């Protein structure tokens, strides 16, 4: 019995150590980046507002401090453009930029469009700083998946 307990304890320790090793670099560096593009809204694309809003780009702030998005822009490959209003992403949090109409709230922003932006097969999401410099981009090319983890 004591031997089994020791093995279990050792395994638990190794697990904790592994977790610490895996998360430490991300916490140390971190960035504001495109985390996910949900480009094919579930079900038939009939253009209803809830369907439009199920199409979104999720931005993640993996840094240790809050980040102000105001003035950033998000563009697709055909230059549909969304300019971020004043919105702070808390440290470690994400915000979804929905295609349709809605009211800005914690974790949710809305492009206010009346049709889909992100192509269901192939497209590229690009996030630009207020200066116009590229902050991050995410490309996808598959009709077999509905979203891309960037
Ligand atoms: Ca789409
Ligand atoms: Ca669909």
């Amino acid at each position: 019995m004591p031997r089994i307990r020791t093995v279990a304890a050792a395994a638990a320790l190794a697990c904790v150590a592994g977790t610490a090793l895996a998360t430490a670099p991300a916490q140390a560096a971190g960035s504001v980046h495109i985390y996910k593009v949900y480009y094919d809204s579930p079900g038939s694309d009939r253009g209803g507002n809830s369907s439009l809003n199920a199409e979104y780009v999720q931005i993640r702030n993996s840094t240790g401090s809050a980040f102000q998005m105001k003035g950033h822009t998000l563009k697709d490959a055909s230059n549909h453009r969304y300019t971020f209003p004043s919105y702070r992403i808390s440290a470690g949090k994400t915000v979804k930029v929905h295609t349709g109409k809605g009211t800005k709230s914690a974790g949710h922003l809305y492009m206010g469009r009346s049709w889909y932006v992100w192509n269901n097969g192939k497209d590229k999401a690009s996030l630009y700083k207020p200066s116009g410099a590229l902050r991050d981009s995410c490309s996808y090319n598959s009709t077999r998946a509905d979203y891309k983890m960037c």
Side-chain angles (χ1 to χ4, degrees):
M1 265 320 201
R3 186 163 167 270
I4 291 169
R5 234 182 252 131
T6 306
V7 169
L13 270 176
C15 189
V16 168
T19 304
L21 283 174
T23 55
Q27 285 170 347
S31 65
V32 173
H33 56 269
I34 298 171
Y35 177 68
K36 181 179 183 178
V37 181
Y38 205 114
Y39 51 87
D40 189 352
S41 181
S44 301
D45 291 3
R46 295 205 175 90
N49 195 52
S50 60
S51 175
L52 291 169
N53 282 336
E55 187 194 70
Y56 61 83
V57 171
Q58 192 168 17
I59 310 290
R60 181 172 180 233
N61 172 12
S62 62
T63 72
S65 36
F67 187 85
Q68 174 58 254
M69 292 301 292
K70 187 178 172 68
H72 278 67
T73 54
L74 182 63
K75 286 186 201 169
D76 71 351
S78 24
N79 265 329
H80 290 100
R81 175 209 295 253
Y82 170 74
T83 302
F84 284 79
S86 179
Y87 184 90
R88 279 161 62 92
I89 309 179
S90 300
K93 299 294 188 184
T94 66
V95 63
K96 288 178 181 174
V97 180
H98 302 275
T99 298
K101 297 174 174 67
T103 304
K104 176 174 90 169
S105 64
H108 304 277
L109 292 170
Y110 298 86
M111 288 185 169
R113 292 186 171 273
S114 43
W115 197 249
Y116 306 92
V117 166
W118 309 103
N119 296 337
N120 289 357
K122 180 183 182 181
D123 211 337
K124 180 180 182 181
S126 299
L127 180 65
Y128 294 91
K129 300 174 185 179
S131 67
L134 183 68
R135 179 174 289 286
D136 191 24
S137 66
C138 179
S139 301
Y140 58 87
N141 187 0
S142 174
T143 51
R144 284 176 297 174
D146 292 342
Y147 61 87
K148 166 85 184 276
M149 301 303 299
C150 302

